[in-house]
């Protein structure tokens, strides 16, 4: 069983590769969170592998993932392997520890954490942009090798060192991540320009249902989790974040439509 969350397709691409290799079904965390019931209950087989695949946001798990875990019950759970596979642009900090803690609160033990470096999609703050084309292509070329290594490690129950913490993880994950989760989540400065052709794609792909089309144009509610799907996927580049993104690049995984 593979629970996944994605904004721009990197994590979905990884989740699909894992699903194919391990024969575990994919379950969208975004879709499950839309369900009105409070507890999200899943039956797991004795030989089931339970995976969480998601992007690192500000050196911690993307917020919908911890929201999902806080409502999660696994019926039939008796110590089956539970693995975290995070995708990041550069480094994960202690995302592994944070997800382990969230799972621990539901009496679920994280057995292994892996990470895959993928093209960066964070462009909202000054100083952050997508990767140069060369770097993007290199990351996309290296990702299948890394994922193959993770598949082997999961099959052989090896909690390998296939996880990239990076520098100053304590500061980033225990101080900056809580600020991000507290201040950035909910508010946003997304706006639409005159280039909008009212196709409604942003509304359809928004994983939190934050975007609604009003008089043919997208309007953002206060439930944004900054997954950045809308700004990167708009086919006519009609979405900006304040004034800071006009000159920045756009990215989504080339194989995810
Ligand atoms: C809000 C936000 C915060 C991010 N923070 C980090 C980070 O702390 N470290 C990192 O290496 N990448 C960071 N990234 C980049 C993403 O983790 C990376 O591009 C990821 O593969 C995107 O996955 P997705 O396409 O499944 O959404 C961030 C992206 C966003 C949108």
């Amino acid at each position: 069983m593979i629970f996944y969350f994605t904004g721009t397709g990197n994590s979905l691409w990884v989740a699909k590769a894992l699903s194919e290799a391990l024969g575990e079904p994919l379950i969208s965390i975004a879709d499950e969170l839309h369900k009105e019931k409070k507890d999200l209950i899943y039956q797991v087989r004795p030989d089931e592998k339970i995976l969480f695949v998601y992007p690192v946001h500000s050196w911690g798990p993307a917020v919908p993932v911890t929201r999902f875990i806080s409502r999660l019950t696994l019926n039939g759970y008796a110590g089956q392997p539970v693995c975290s596979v995070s995708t990041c642009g550069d480094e994960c900090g202690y995302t592994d520890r944070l997800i382990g803690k969230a799972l621990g609160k539901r009496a679920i033990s994280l057995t292994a954490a892996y990470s895959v470096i993928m093209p960066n999609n964070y462009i909202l703050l000054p100083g952050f942009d997508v990767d140069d084309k060369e770097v993007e292509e290199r990351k996309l070329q290296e990702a299948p090798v890394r994922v193959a290594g993770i598949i082997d490690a999961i099959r052989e129950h090896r909690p390998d060192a296939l996880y990239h913490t990076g520098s100053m993880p304590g500061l980033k994950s225990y101080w900056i991540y809580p600020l991000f989760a507290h201040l950035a989540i909910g508010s946003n400065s997304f706006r639409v320009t005159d280039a909008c052709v009212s196709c409604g794609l942003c509304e359809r792909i928004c994983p939190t249902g934050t975007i609604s089309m009003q008089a043919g144009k997208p309007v953002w509610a206060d439930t944004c989790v900054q997954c950045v799907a809308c700004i990167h996927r708009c086919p006519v580049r009609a979405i900006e974040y304040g004034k800071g993104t006009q000159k920045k690049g756009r990215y989504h995984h080339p194989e995810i439509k």
Side-chain angles (χ1 to χ4, degrees):
M1 185 175 285
I2 301 179
F3 299 110
Y4 76 90
F5 180 80
T6 194
T8 53
N10 287 344
S11 309
L12 178 54
W13 179 83
V14 171
K16 281 184 167 180
L18 294 168
S19 168
E20 225 165 86
L22 301 171
E24 294 290 350
L26 287 172
I27 299 174
S28 159
I29 287 177
D31 289 349
E32 297 302 287
L33 282 173
H34 287 311
K35 295 185 176 164
E36 280 183 11
K37 53 188 181 191
K38 190 171 161 285
D39 296 317
L40 299 168
I41 303 169
Y42 306 87
Q43 185 67 40
V44 293
R45 305 181 314 268
D47 64 341
E48 186 114 30
K49 292 180 178 61
I50 302 143
L51 272 69
F52 293 86
V53 186
Y54 57 91
V56 169
H57 282 175
S58 199
W59 302 284
V63 164
V65 181
T66 47
R67 278 188 192 155
F68 173 78
I69 291 173
S70 72
R71 291 164 57 188
L72 176 65
T73 298
L74 296 178
N75 278 345
Y77 171 69
Q80 289 94 327
V82 178
C83 305
S84 159
V85 182
S86 48
T87 74
C88 65
D90 291 301
E91 53 176 39
C92 302
Y94 286 146
T95 297
D96 53 343
R97 298 188 187 184
L98 294 173
I99 199 127
K101 195 172 170 204
L103 286 163
K105 287 185 185 163
R106 306 299 293 171
I108 299 167
S109 299
L110 182 67
T111 37
Y114 309 101
S115 66
V116 186
I117 294 181
M118 298 292 286
N120 177 52
N121 69 356
Y122 189 73
I123 60 169
L124 304 185
L125 281 178
F128 292 86
D129 203 346
V130 295
D131 296 315
D132 294 342
K133 269 285 158 232
E134 209 179 295
V135 174
E136 180 184 308
E137 273 162 27
R138 180 177 48 75
K139 287 181 175 179
L140 289 172
Q141 265 170 19
E142 289 173 359
V145 180
R146 178 73 164 195
V147 172
I150 292 172
I151 290 165
D152 286 347
I154 293 174
R155 280 197 180 124
E156 293 159 20
H157 301 283
R158 280 188 280 114
D160 272 13
L162 290 171
Y163 179 84
H164 184 56
T165 305
S167 64
M168 294 187 287
L171 171 72
K172 290 170 176 170
S173 298
Y174 296 149
W175 291 94
I176 301 176
Y177 175 73
L179 283 175
F180 166 80
H182 191 67
L183 298 175
I185 299 300
S187 67
N188 72 79
S189 304
F190 287 107
R191 64 185 176 87
V192 68
T193 69
D194 292 342
C196 176
V197 290
S198 303
C199 68
L201 180 68
C202 52
E203 182 189 42
R204 290 197 298 281
I205 59 165
C206 175
T208 51
T210 293
I211 301 176
S212 57
M213 297 299 282
Q214 292 177 25
K217 304 288 173 202
V219 173
W220 285 261
D222 59 2
T223 48
C224 176
V225 292
Q226 303 220 341
C227 78
V228 296
C230 57
I231 192 166
H232 286 288
R233 297 281 305 277
C234 174
V236 290
R237 268 196 78 134
I239 296 176
E240 301 290 350
Y241 192 82
K243 289 192 177 140
T245 50
Q246 278 156 342
K247 295 202 171 110
K248 292 188 179 179
R250 300 293 191 267
Y251 166 81
H252 67 267
H253 194 284
E255 289 174 30
I256 301 295
K257 300 294 170 210

